[in-house]
Amino acid sequence: MKGIISLCYRKVIDASSQKAWDKFVFDDTYLEFFMRAQYFDPEGQYKTLKALEDNIPQAHQIHGMVSTAAIGYLKQLKDIMPEIVNVHGKLCLSFKRFKFELIHSHVQNKAEHKVAIYFYSEPLTWIDSIGDHLLVAYGNQTEAIKNGIDVATDIIDLQPNLSISFFQKALTL
């Protein structure tokens, strides 16, 4: 047993995104960015997120403001991380925490809008690695494993944009 981990999945959404959920998030976060850009720059001098941030001190607030447009869509996921499946093809990771990132946007060109959502899994017991797979048990199962109690396990593929965001080494007795 290696220890307790949390996984982070970074989902990037831009104009090329094809899934319906992604398109809704894209459209609504762009609209929110567009409205907030007008609020901070009513004269329309600055066309990009970077230009707004470089020239208007309060413009850094746009990130948090735009994130509110995604909240309803995140609730639709019912705390299950999108696209991360176990070896049986089933969505398997729950999340309670997320972080929204407005990567880039342009007031006059919606195609340049790009956001990322970081999903952080609930704690997992990392039992072992098998090739490009993680053998895990959900929650902190260290005591059960140490005491020889059977625990349910799952296998999750390592894949692009999925990383270990937290690690606590298992203590040996």
Side-chain angles (χ1 to χ4, degrees):
M1 180 174 53
K2 298 186 183 297
I4 303 300
I5 61 173
S6 178
L7 298 177
C8 176
Y9 173 56
R10 181 178 188 249
K11 179 172 181 56
V12 176
I13 300 171
D14 60 19
S16 69
S17 297
Q18 296 297 308
K19 294 180 179 175
W21 187 88
D22 298 1
K23 289 179 180 184
F24 287 129
V25 170
F26 176 81
D27 288 340
D28 285 2
T29 59
Y30 177 75
L31 180 60
E32 190 67 26
F33 167 76
F34 184 81
M35 291 187 303
R36 297 304 176 171
Q38 290 178 340
Y39 171 79
F40 285 105
D41 180 24
E43 296 82 32
Q45 291 178 282
Y46 309 110
K47 305 302 179 202
T48 66
L49 171 65
K50 181 163 179 16
L52 286 164
E53 290 178 318
D54 287 349
N55 294 286
I56 302 170
Q58 302 84 0
H60 71 278
Q61 297 172 11
I62 289 176
H63 295 271
M65 294 172 165
V66 171
S67 74
T68 62
I71 297 295
Y73 297 107
L74 291 166
K75 287 181 181 177
Q76 290 176 2
L77 299 175
K78 299 183 188 224
D79 297 335
I80 301 297
M81 208 177 283
E83 299 166 3
I84 304 301
V85 296
N86 62 16
V87 293
H88 302 291
K90 302 235 181 224
L91 294 172
C92 59
L93 288 179
S94 63
F95 75 95
K96 296 288 185 209
R97 296 182 310 119
F98 69 91
K99 182 178 95 175
F100 178 87
E101 176 186 13
L102 181 55
I103 298 171
H104 181 73
S105 202
H106 194 289
V107 174
Q108 294 175 328
N109 188 353
K110 185 176 178 179
E112 291 187 32
H113 184 67
K114 184 184 263 192
V115 301
I117 302 172
Y118 296 80
F119 296 92
Y120 297 92
S121 77
E122 291 291 289
L124 302 164
T125 303
W126 181 16
I127 299 168
D128 207 352
S129 296
I130 306 166
D132 290 339
H133 311 287
L134 298 176
L135 176 63
V136 298
Y138 295 97
N140 185 340
Q141 302 296 332
T142 54
E143 287 303 314
I145 292 169
K146 285 178 186 176
N147 292 323
I149 298 170
D150 292 342
V151 297
T153 62
D154 211 344
I155 297 177
I156 300 170
D157 290 339
L158 291 173
Q159 53 195 277
N161 297 318
L162 182 65
S163 62
I164 296 174
S165 63
F166 170 83
F167 172 74
Q168 179 181 21
K169 185 173 175 51
L171 302 175
T172 55
L173 298 178

